[in-house]
Amino acid sequence: MKKWRCSVCGFVYDGEQAPESCPKCGAPKDKFAEIAQDAATLIERSRKTNQLHMELLTQLQRVLETAEAGIQDNLDPPCVKLFEYARGQAYTIQQMIKAELAGHMGKGKWG
Ligand SMILES: [Zn+2]
């Protein structure tokens, strides 16, 4: 499917023709430019992966919150140490995912 990008705000629209106005910023149709086929294919191909990254971010947030609760519960030092480890690893993976997603945006694997 053809894709169109709003030159004002970057909104990507899927359709045979550009929309009458941008759903995000309200810019008129003539502010949309068709995205080249290879770039459109890259966006299409990346959507699933980006969605999986975002789901992982959400799940890791639950790990962070659970680990924090475990630290507060503070049953004994080995438990706290394990919860702290889990919190640290979840945080690190979250930051890695964010860096990866930022890279995707920079390379046009987003939209
Ligand atoms: Zn726009």
Side-chain angles (χ1 to χ4, degrees):
M1 186 183 289
K2 289 182 178 177
K3 298 188 192 313
W4 307 80
R5 189 187 307 279
C6 174
S7 63
V8 176
C9 75
F11 183 91
V12 173
Y13 180 82
D14 296 88
E16 282 308 305
Q17 297 190 354
E20 288 306 313
S21 63
C22 177
K24 180 170 183 290
C25 74
K29 187 174 190 167
D30 65 5
K31 293 294 183 183
F32 276 82
E34 185 174 356
I35 297 174
Q37 187 57 54
D38 56 342
T41 300
L42 196 59
I43 289 171
E44 197 67 51
R45 173 61 191 90
S46 304
R47 281 180 175 171
K48 181 180 180 184
T49 300
N50 290 336
Q51 185 60 41
L52 292 172
H53 278 306
M54 289 189 287
E55 285 179 28
L56 207 48
L57 276 177
T58 300
Q59 291 173 24
L60 286 162
Q61 190 60 36
R62 288 203 202 96
V63 172
L64 274 175
E65 290 165 10
T66 302
E68 192 60 47
I71 292 164
Q72 297 303 319
D73 187 44
N74 195 20
L75 177 64
D76 56 48
C79 286
V80 170
K81 188 177 176 187
L82 181 53
F83 288 128
E84 286 174 344
Y85 181 73
R87 180 178 65 180
Q89 293 296 304
Y91 172 79
T92 299
I93 298 168
Q94 278 189 326
Q95 295 309 105
M96 291 167 72
I97 291 170
K98 290 174 194 171
E100 186 66 22
L101 288 175
H104 283 193
M105 290 180 206
K107 294 174 189 161
K109 295 177 179 175
W110 191 274

